[in-house]
Amino acid sequence: QVVLEESGGGTVQAEGSLRLSCSASGVTISEYSIAWFRQAPGKKREGVAALSNTGLNSYKDSVEGRFTISRDSDKNVLYLQMSTLLPEDTAVYTCAATRGISNSLYPFAYTFWGQGTLVIVSS
């Protein structure tokens, strides 16, 4: 059984930083393509960052240069380091994974999903 569990969400002031973690079980994270999505109240889910199992990454334009996706294969954990946070980054952040090569930012590309963690950026 594949389980993805996010942690690290919370409230942070604008211009601050936060690191989200996604602990994986039932999968070897280094063999999977992984991604972070977010959904703000009243808005559609959107891809934020993705990292394929071959090392290709992609970012949503508005987070490029501020967010970094990475994985720790030894710990089987996926990370999203977020810096210079803005109020519009407020959302529920969810990690996702799929077997195969993908750095897509589209939800349909991913098979396994976590439950999400809430990030609130105050101005």
Side-chain angles (χ1 to χ4, degrees):
Q1 181 182 0
V2 177
V3 177
L4 302 176
E5 186 172 3
E6 302 90 344
S7 61
T11 301
V12 61
Q13 288 191 329
E15 303 297 317
S17 299
L18 209 57
R19 188 178 77 163
L20 304 182
S21 301
C22 175
S23 180
S25 59
V27 296
T28 301
I29 203 70
S30 60
E31 298 175 357
Y32 281 66
S33 296
I34 54 179
W36 286 94
F37 290 81
R38 70 185 182 188
Q39 187 167 18
K43 296 189 177 180
K44 295 192 305 182
R45 175 180 284 174
E46 60 181 10
V48 174
L51 178 62
S52 76
N53 55 3
T54 59
L56 297 174
N57 60 30
S58 59
Y59 293 92
K60 178 179 172 59
D61 286 348
S62 63
V63 308
E64 181 92 51
R66 299 190 296 121
F67 290 11
T68 303
I69 187 172
S70 63
R71 74 179 109 217
D72 186 326
S73 298
D74 291 337
K75 295 181 179 178
N76 217 34
V77 176
L78 160 67
Y79 298 106
L80 183 68
Q81 177 67 49
M82 306 185 293
S83 303
T84 319
L85 282 160
L86 305 171
E88 49 264 44
D89 294 319
T90 294
V92 174
Y93 285 73
T94 306
C95 60
T98 191
R99 196 169 183 85
I101 302 173
S102 177
N103 63 337
S104 172
L105 294 178
Y106 290 100
F108 65 75
Y110 296 88
T111 307
F112 305 106
W113 293 83
Q115 293 298 309
T117 186
L118 177 62
V119 173
I120 298 173
V121 183
S122 61
S123 57

